[in-house]
């Protein structure tokens, strides 16, 4: 994880802690890819291109006759900077506006998006992993009170931030994730974000802080589990989606570094290995549902915490993931 990202994640925890206090007071493998995405194509992008807010968000990249692929590339140019996960106010404003428009377009029915738009849009959204994490955790007061176009995005001493409502974000994620490739992009980005935050924690941290981190990380992953459940379809189609996502998540074989040398890398690679071994049966949902507890167990072991504390944190993770998933499923309808 880069130095700027490490500093950003440390600042994020401080903000989350403040938020918490405030809220307390308140075909198997790669061969299936083309099949999965081709059967989900079909919704053109004219509705989005016809919205004046999209025209404004894309700026000079806008044309009324863009294909879905061209629209996706225009979204990336308008919302992503030259440095990963660092954005200007204009770029963050464009992402906030595009998420709002798209959430209105797809609504509760989660209308299918053409894969030519879904994949590049997911690339762009993944670049906002920190914001996505904070919105899904739903405890950072700053994000909660700034989730409208009149207050988002904003800039402070930590950088530029963007927020939309939890429901808006879930609706867009669900629609994007009709494409297995798009879901894999988003899941991988949030795994890296969570791993970086966990790895920065001192083993001498108080139990309350450790429990908070375990709870929030698993709650976010629980939201992702709900999105997967809604997006994968049913029957044979769901099976193909599952196998394709798992294949994409394990396409790069990596070595697991020692935790003390690279904590974030250790957590990500350990989870990758788990997916690679246990994902052979093609059941993505069952595997995703244990990610929070597995990452918490690996994290607590890497820090050398005692068995009693480790088991307590794993229990926190399990309960939080379940609550996050249930809450997101209710919002998704």
């Amino acid at each position: 994880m880069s130095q700027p990202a490490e500093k950003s994640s440390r600042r994020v925890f401080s903000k989350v802690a403040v938020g918490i206090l405030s809220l307390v007071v308140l075909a198997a493998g790669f061969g299936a890819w083309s099949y999965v995405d081709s059967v989900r194509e079909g919704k053109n992008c004219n509705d989005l291109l016809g919205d004046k807010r999209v025209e404004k968000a894309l700026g000079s990249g806008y044309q009324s006759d863009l294909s879905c692929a061209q629209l996706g590339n225009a979204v990336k140019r308008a919302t992503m900077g030259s440095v990963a996960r660092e954005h200007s106010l204009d770029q963050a404003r464009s992402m906030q506006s595009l998420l709002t428009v798209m959430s209105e377009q797809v609504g509760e029915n989660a209308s299918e998006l053409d894969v030519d738009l879904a994949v590049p849009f997911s690339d762009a959204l993944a670049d906002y992993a920190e914001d996505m994490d904070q919105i899904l955790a739903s405890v950072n007061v700053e994000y909660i009170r700034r989730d409208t176009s009149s207050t988002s995005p904003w800039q402070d001493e930590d950088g530029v931030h963007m927020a939309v409502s939890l429901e808006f974000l879930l609706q867009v994620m669900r629609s994007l994730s009709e494409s297995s490739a798009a879901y894999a992009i988003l899941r991988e980005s949030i795994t890296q974000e969570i791993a970086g935050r966990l790895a920065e924690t001192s083993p001498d941290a108080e139990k309350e802080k450790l429990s908070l981190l375990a709870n929030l990380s698993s709650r976010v992953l629980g939201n992702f589990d709900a999105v997967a459940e809604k997006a994968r379809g049913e029957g044979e189609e769901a099976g193909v989606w599952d196998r394709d996502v798992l294949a994409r998540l394990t396409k790069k074989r990596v070595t697991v570094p020692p935790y003390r040398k690279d904590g974030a890398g250790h957590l990500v690679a350990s989870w990758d290995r788990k997916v690679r071994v246990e994902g052979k049966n093609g059941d993505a949902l069952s595997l995703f549902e244990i990610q929070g507890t597995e990452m918490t167990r690996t994290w607590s072991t890497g820090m050398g915490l005692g068995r009693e504390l480790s088991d307590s944190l794993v229990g926190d993770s399990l309960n939080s993931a379940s609550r996050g998933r249930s809450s997101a499923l209710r919002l998704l309808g």
Side-chain angles (χ1 to χ4, degrees), residues 48-104:
L48 291 172
L49 288 169
D51 194 298
K52 290 296 184 182
R53 291 169 295 177
V54 173
E55 180 177 354
K56 182 178 180 181
L58 297 182
S60 62
Y62 175 83
Q63 295 181 35
S64 61
D65 59 349
L66 292 175
S67 67
C68 284
Q70 291 170 332
L71 175 57
N73 288 328
V75 167
K76 293 177 69 171
R77 289 193 298 271
T79 60
M80 299 172 69
S82 58
V83 178
R85 303 194 180 190
E86 292 187 15
H87 313 103
S88 68
L89 279 168
D90 284 343
Q91 289 164 347
R93 186 174 293 109
S94 290
M95 175 55 78
Q96 193 269 352
S97 181
L98 290 166
L99 286 171
T100 300
V101 175
M102 190 175 290
S103 69
E104 294 173 1

Side-chain angles (χ1 to χ4, degrees), residues 87-292:
H87 313 103
S88 68
L89 279 168
D90 284 343
Q91 289 164 347
R93 186 174 293 109
S94 290
M95 175 55 78
Q96 193 269 352
S97 181
L98 290 166
L99 286 171
T100 300
V101 175
M102 190 175 290
S103 69
E104 294 173 1
Q105 294 281 357
V106 299
E108 290 186 359
N109 295 324
S111 303
E112 291 182 11
L113 292 172
D114 193 298
V115 64
D116 285 341
L117 172 61
V119 171
F121 198 104
S122 293
D123 281 331
L125 184 56
D127 203 53
Y128 289 77
E130 182 181 320
D131 293 327
M132 186 164 47
D133 173 79
Q134 293 299 293
I135 296 167
L136 294 176
S138 302
V139 297
N140 190 322
V141 173
E142 196 73 2
Y143 275 81
I144 292 171
R145 74 183 184 87
R146 289 181 178 271
D147 67 357
T148 66
S149 59
S150 62
T151 56
S152 177
W154 70 101
Q155 185 170 14
D156 56 25
E157 66 277 7
D158 300 329
V160 173
H161 315 278
M162 175 279 304
V164 293
S165 74
L166 173 61
E167 185 172 8
F168 278 13
L169 180 60
L170 285 171
Q171 288 173 343
V172 174
M173 288 172 57
R174 192 264 190 231
S175 191
L176 293 171
S177 297
E178 292 280 339
S179 161
S180 54
Y183 183 81
I185 290 168
L186 295 176
R187 185 107 195 182
E188 187 172 45
S189 71
I190 208 66
T191 296
Q192 293 169 349
E193 177 68 21
I194 288 171
R197 185 172 62 252
L198 292 176
E200 290 164 2
T201 311
S202 167
D204 298 325
E206 295 181 355
K207 180 180 178 180
E208 288 74 17
K209 178 178 180 179
L210 298 174
S211 179
L212 172 61
L213 280 167
N215 270 286
L216 293 182
S217 299
S218 293
R219 180 178 182 84
V220 170
L221 291 170
N223 277 266
F224 269 81
D225 297 343
V227 169
E229 183 172 334
K230 288 291 187 177
R232 64 199 283 267
E234 298 179 353
E236 181 180 353
E237 184 180 359
V240 175
W241 188 94
D242 281 13
R243 291 191 295 273
D244 187 55
V245 167
L246 293 173
R248 289 178 182 275
L249 289 174
T250 56
K251 63 183 181 295
K252 296 179 181 178
R253 186 177 296 275
V254 295
T255 302
V256 181
Y259 185 87
R260 292 186 180 276
K261 182 178 180 180
D262 180 4
H266 179 86
L267 293 173
V268 171
S270 295
W271 174 243
D272 175 87
R273 182 173 58 187
K274 183 81 171 179
V275 175
R276 192 179 299 279
V277 173
E278 298 194 10
K280 293 178 180 178
N281 63 5
D283 185 357
L285 282 188
S286 295
L287 192 54
F288 290 159
E289 288 173 3
I290 66 169
Q291 182 176 358

Side-chain angles (χ1 to χ4, degrees), residues 218-219 222 225 289 316-326:
S218 293
R219 180 178 182 84
D225 297 343
E289 288 173 3
D316 290 342
S317 295
L318 179 63
N319 293 330
S320 186
S322 178
R323 290 193 298 269
R325 175 178 169 275
S326 297

